[in-house]
Amino acid sequence: MPLASPTAGEYSRLCFRASVHHARDAVVAFKGARYVSAIISCQHAWEMAGKAALAIDGAFAWPPSPRTWMVWHAVMSDVHRTCTRLKFSRRIENALLNLEQWLPPSSRTTNPGPNSEYFFDSVTAWALPADYFGALHARTSIRAIQRVIPLVKAKYQSELKGLRATVPAI
């Protein structure tokens, strides 16, 4: 039996819940000195928090078209264009843009963008050395996520009612 198509509200709640889980994973990875894992978890947390806001304020259609924010990792430009309730400080925005810049390309067959931090291992996947990001990168990213998730929850209180926005301290 095929699954029913989610509504915008259901999709936003799923995305927001996922963002909180990814943020918690980032803190756990950071405490274990696994900084690349912390960065990747922060990337996912921002992507899901942004998609939660976009599902509420943006054009939501299921199944997603290959040319929409629903299938992209980088969501900042769509959040700026669509989500009038969300306003970030310059510091937070820069941290989130760094997370998007550090994302690997969506296809393994394309070359990375000029600002990409990822390396191609020429066999199967994009990869980073385990020590490529340090504690400073991860701490800055986690702090940005710790501010963004409660902000999204506060700006979309009625739509995300009943969900927790708690991210542990680092």
Side-chain angles (χ1 to χ4, degrees):
M1 177 179 204
L3 296 175
S5 299
T7 65
E10 291 167 340
Y11 185 77
S12 67
R13 293 174 69 79
L14 287 170
C15 287
F16 187 77
R17 207 175 279 125
S19 73
V20 173
H21 287 288
H22 286 302
R24 289 179 184 150
D25 290 346
V27 171
V28 169
F30 180 83
K31 288 180 178 179
R34 296 187 323 271
Y35 304 123
V36 171
S37 294
I39 293 284
I40 292 168
S41 292
C42 286
Q43 290 168 334
H44 292 305
W46 160 236
E47 176 187 354
M48 291 293 108
K51 286 182 176 182
L54 285 166
I56 295 166
D57 284 344
F60 178 84
W62 196 266
S65 160
R67 293 198 170 108
T68 67
W69 56 265
M70 295 175 72
V71 296
W72 297 334
H73 291 298
V75 294
M76 180 64 85
S77 62
D78 292 297
V79 167
H80 271 304
R81 198 171 40 253
T82 308
C83 301
T84 57
R85 294 189 243 179
L86 283 180
K87 299 292 180 223
F88 302 118
S89 69
R90 175 72 63 197
R91 178 183 286 169
I92 300 287
E93 188 171 322
N94 286 340
L96 296 174
L97 287 171
N98 278 339
L99 286 173
E100 290 192 357
Q101 173 184 332
W102 295 333
L103 281 167
S106 60
S107 169
R108 293 181 181 184
T109 60
T110 60
N111 291 325
N115 295 323
S116 176
E117 299 286 342
Y118 280 76
F119 304 105
F120 187 56
D121 70 6
S122 73
V123 178
T124 58
W126 296 93
L128 278 173
D131 62 347
Y132 189 77
F133 289 114
L136 181 62
H137 294 100
R139 184 179 290 111
T140 303
S141 299
I142 290 170
R143 286 187 177 152
I145 294 302
Q146 286 174 326
R147 287 181 176 83
V148 165
I149 289 176
L151 177 65
V152 170
K153 171 73 170 150
K155 298 299 180 179
Y156 298 95
Q157 281 181 353
S158 61
E159 294 91 342
L160 300 174
K161 186 177 181 179
L163 299 180
R164 301 186 103 175
T166 308
V167 180
I170 51 174

